[in-house]
């Protein structure tokens, strides 16, 4: 009885491989066809995916990525120029100048786009006016326009009437350029040249407007 039980167990172990082998030979062609169908599939959206091909492409791309030299990240260019004037403004907790008080930057830009150069100059004048207002402890609103700031500076004796008039006209001309008035290179250069007077006066204010005896060196000859 024990021998018969062992033989039965042995046959049970062998029967499934035998059945599988027999089934493979009996249904060989349908199985091969089914396997080939499984190698490709239609994804949602009607995209046909050849799985084997995609795997080979992934392997190829993996080797390409592994063998491609990495490019070193380049340091980004500072958004604001590092000048003596900007260093001074930052030390005083004022907003730095877009040009670092070097108006030659706007002349260079005017060679390519006079309107864009005046848009930059307008931003420059507004920042300088806002810094003056802060330096003179005047009330500031986040939405104050350049004209409003200049009027407040004049009313509080922070700038002269001539400075007020000159800055106001420069801002109006720059505003016109921003809003589409076509500006020639000669006109842009003339406006920028006039603004250098204001930049020089502002640099003087950075010297005498505070009590630490700071004097400009490299930026004293604004051009």
């Amino acid at each position: 009885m024990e021998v018969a039980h062992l033989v039965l167990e042995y046959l049970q172990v062998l029967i499934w491989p035998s059945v599988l082998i027999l089934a493979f030979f009996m249904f060989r062609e349908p199985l091969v066809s089914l396997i080939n169908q499984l190698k490709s599939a239609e994804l949602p959206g009607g995209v046909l995916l050849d799985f084997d091909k995609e795997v080979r492409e992934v392997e190829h791309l993996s080797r390409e990525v592994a063998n491609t030299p990495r490019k070193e990240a380049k340091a980004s260019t500072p958004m604001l120029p590092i000048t003596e004037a900007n260093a001074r403004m930052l030390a005083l907790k004022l907003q730095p100048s877009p040009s670092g008080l070097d108006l030659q930057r706007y002349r260079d830009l005017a060679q390519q786009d006079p309107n864009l150069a005046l848009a930059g100059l307008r931003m420059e004048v507004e920042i300088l006016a806002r810094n003056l207002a802060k330096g003179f402890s005047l009330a500031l609103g986040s939405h104050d326009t350049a004209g409003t700031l200049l009027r407040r500076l004049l009313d509080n004796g922070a700038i002269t009437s001539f400075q007020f008039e000159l800055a106001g006209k420069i801002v109006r001309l720059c505003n016109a350029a921003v809003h589409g008035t076509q500006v020639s290179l000669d006109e842009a250069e003339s406006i920028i040249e006039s603004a250098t007077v204001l930049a020089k006066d502002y640099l003087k204010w950075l010297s005498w407007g505070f009590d630490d005896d700071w004097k400009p060196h490299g930026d004293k000859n604004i051009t």
Side-chain angles (χ1 to χ4, degrees), residues 103 106 116-126 170 174 188 191-192 195:
L103 301 194
Y106 299 121
L116 187 59
L118 292 189
L121 181 63
R122 186 216 174 283
M123 186 184 301
E124 181 96 24
V125 173
E126 183 169 343
I170 289 173
C174 290
I191 295 167
I192 294 166

Side-chain angles (χ1 to χ4, degrees), residues 114-126 144-150 166-183 191:
N115 283 61
L116 187 59
L118 292 189
L121 181 63
R122 186 216 174 283
M123 186 184 301
E124 181 96 24
V125 173
E126 183 169 343
D144 285 346
T145 65
T148 301
L149 291 168
L150 291 171
L166 174 59
K169 287 185 180 295
I170 289 173
V171 168
R172 284 193 291 276
L173 288 169
C174 290
N175 280 339
V178 169
H179 289 94
T181 300
Q182 193 58 45
V183 180
I191 295 167

